[in-house]
Amino acid sequence: MKWMSKRFTFVVIPDANQTVQRYRISGLTFILIPVIILILVVCSILFTLLFTGKVSHFNKLKTQMETADANYKQQLLQRNEQISMLETNLLVISEQAQQVETKLSNISELELQLKEIAGIEKSSVRISSSIEKAEGGTGGEEIIVPTNRSGSTVELTSQNLSNLSLEMDKMRPSLEATIEAIKNYQHILDITPTIWPADSRKITSTFGIRRDPFSRRSSLHTGLDLGGDRGDPIYATADGVITLSENNYPQGNNIIIDHGRGIETRYLHLNERLVQVGDKVSKGDLIGELGNTGRSTGPHLHYEVIVNGTQVDPRPYIKEDREDNNDVQK
Ligand SMILES: [Zn+2]
């Protein structure tokens, strides 16, 4: 280590005609300078290696992030399209729900009208949604909630559908009762004599006290006489069962139909009887021909309506034209 205490002199000759420069350094400095340079070189190499690795890793991560970002954007785009489509579908469903609601209200109104026609009490069940909403409050503002539009629409649609379901549940028994009542009403209409027994509208004698054409004495005329031609068709004025079909004096060829509920109709002085006892007939069925049999002054039909065994005036029962009635009834 003795040489470390020595001093070294470096001679630098810049050019031939310039002065020589001398640099004197200690032995320690002579050793330290290369060592420091070596350490710096090694550090530089290590740093470069490390930095290059990091950069490579960073680039790799960056590429992965860019790919992930592109995928995410693509998925986001698809999701947005799906959400937009769902929103459109939801709006369509919402509109359909409103249409169904309106139709249900209309059906409910029709049911009420049917009940009124059939003489049933008004239903306590009413559609409480669109119509009553329309009548109720209109002061509210339009719902404009763009930020939560679909959520709000879902809620409203869901609520509307739930209400519709409840209303339908309520309507079913009410409608069934109405249908049953209308069937009953129709049946009563079918078995009530309401039509003309012949095509003729020529009333030759009304129900009530009159002078008897044979005896010339006052007597009760128990039916309605309709003039016509021999052979004109005679119709059952309501559904029923034939309980009498015979020829006697003074009624001539005559038929009785039992319509139930204590009501019968009788057809006298017929030219022909076309039904037998036990036959079931419907309103408007052909049962015989107009004639002049029995105690009769000319071709006519003597038509009676009998309620609980007593003849009553048939006129209040004849409310409908036979042809019109056929259109309605049959
Ligand atoms: Zn008569």
Side-chain angles (χ1 to χ4, degrees):
M1 301 302 274
K2 197 174 174 183
W3 59 274
M4 285 182 73
S5 58
K6 290 183 179 174
R7 300 188 74 85
F8 296 86
T9 301
F10 291 89
V11 179
V12 177
I13 307 168
D15 206 352
N17 54 356
Q18 287 186 339
T19 52
V20 174
Q21 306 223 350
R22 289 187 176 80
Y23 298 95
R24 185 171 290 178
I25 56 169
S26 67
L28 183 61
T29 307
F30 183 74
I31 293 300
L32 278 176
I33 286 171
V35 169
I36 287 166
I37 290 169
L38 188 66
I39 287 167
L40 283 173
V41 168
V42 169
C43 284
S44 299
I45 290 166
L46 283 174
F47 178 76
T48 305
L49 284 173
L50 203 63
F51 180 74
T52 310
K54 287 287 177 192
V55 166
S56 169
H57 185 60
F58 173 76
N59 284 338
K60 199 175 165 186
L61 278 176
K62 193 181 168 194
T63 309
Q64 285 177 350
M65 278 182 71
E66 281 172 355
T67 309
D69 185 51
N71 286 340
Y72 171 73
K73 280 179 179 167
Q74 181 66 27
Q75 284 178 0
L76 198 65
L77 202 67
Q78 287 175 353
R79 290 282 183 276
N80 282 340
E81 282 174 2
Q82 286 172 347
I83 287 167
S84 176
M85 198 169 74
L86 285 173
E87 278 181 352
T88 308
N89 290 344
L90 191 63
L91 284 173
V92 170
I93 290 167
S94 175
E95 283 172 12
Q96 286 174 342
Q98 283 173 8
Q99 286 171 5
V100 171
E101 195 181 340
T102 306
K103 284 179 181 173
L104 200 61
S105 295
N106 293 340
I107 289 169
S108 181
E109 287 298 311
L110 284 174
E111 191 204 354
L112 285 175
Q113 288 176 24
L114 279 175
K115 282 182 174 176
E116 283 178 25
I117 290 166
I120 310 162
E121 275 187 35
K122 282 190 176 183
S123 170
S124 58
V125 179
R126 285 186 65 114
I127 294 300
S128 58
S129 42
S130 62
I131 285 180
E132 293 194 356
K133 269 183 198 164
E135 289 169 355
T138 53
E141 303 197 354
E142 292 287 324
I143 299 166
I144 303 169
V145 276
T147 49
N148 193 22
R149 188 182 51 161
S150 59
S152 173
T153 310
V154 167
E155 208 172 295
L156 280 172
T157 306
S158 172
Q159 187 63 46
N160 282 346
L161 288 174
S162 297
N163 289 343
L164 282 176
S165 181
L166 280 174
E167 298 294 354
M168 283 175 170
D169 287 346
K170 284 186 202 166
M171 272 190 84
R172 189 175 176 82
S174 173
L175 273 174
E176 284 171 353
T178 304
I179 288 167
E180 201 54 43
I182 287 169
K183 279 182 185 170
N184 191 39
Y185 176 75
Q186 179 66 52
H187 175 65
I188 289 173
L189 208 60
D190 287 342
I191 63 170
T192 303
T194 55
I195 62 170
W196 288 86
D199 292 330
S200 169
R201 302 289 180 267
K202 186 181 167 189
I203 296 170
T204 53
S205 186
T206 55
F207 177 91
I209 303 293
R210 68 166 186 182
R211 189 178 292 277
D212 186 277
F214 287 92
S215 68
R216 311 304 301 168
R217 288 186 302 189
S218 288
S219 60
L220 177 67
H221 183 231
T222 55
L224 189 72
D225 286 351
L226 288 173
D229 295 327
R230 192 192 302 269
D232 281 354
I234 300 299
Y235 309 103
T237 53
D239 292 6
V241 180
I242 307 297
T243 53
L244 184 144
S245 176
E246 65 177 20
N247 186 11
N248 62 27
Y249 192 85
Q251 286 94 353
N253 277 317
N254 72 101
I255 293 166
I256 293 179
I257 304 174
D258 184 358
H259 305 289
R261 299 200 310 147
I263 299 176
E264 296 167 291
T265 50
R266 194 168 194 181
Y267 311 79
L268 276 65
H269 312 304
L270 300 174
N271 189 48
E272 288 284 346
R273 288 173 283 119
L274 303 174
V275 288
Q276 294 178 342
V277 171
D279 285 355
K280 286 184 179 176
V281 290
S282 297
K283 186 179 282 198
D285 280 357
L286 184 66
I287 56 169
E289 291 177 359
L290 189 144
N292 188 29
T293 58
R295 190 169 177 263
S296 172
T297 57
H300 77 287
L301 171 73
H302 175 95
Y303 174 61
E304 289 183 357
V305 173
I306 305 160
V307 180
N308 297 324
T310 305
Q311 287 98 337
V312 298
D313 187 358
R315 277 315 305 265
Y317 282 87
I318 304 172
K319 294 178 179 172
E320 301 169 39
D321 185 75
R322 204 190 73 78
E323 287 77 13
D324 292 346
N325 185 67
N326 277 352
D327 289 342
V328 175
Q329 298 286 322
K330 304 295 171 186

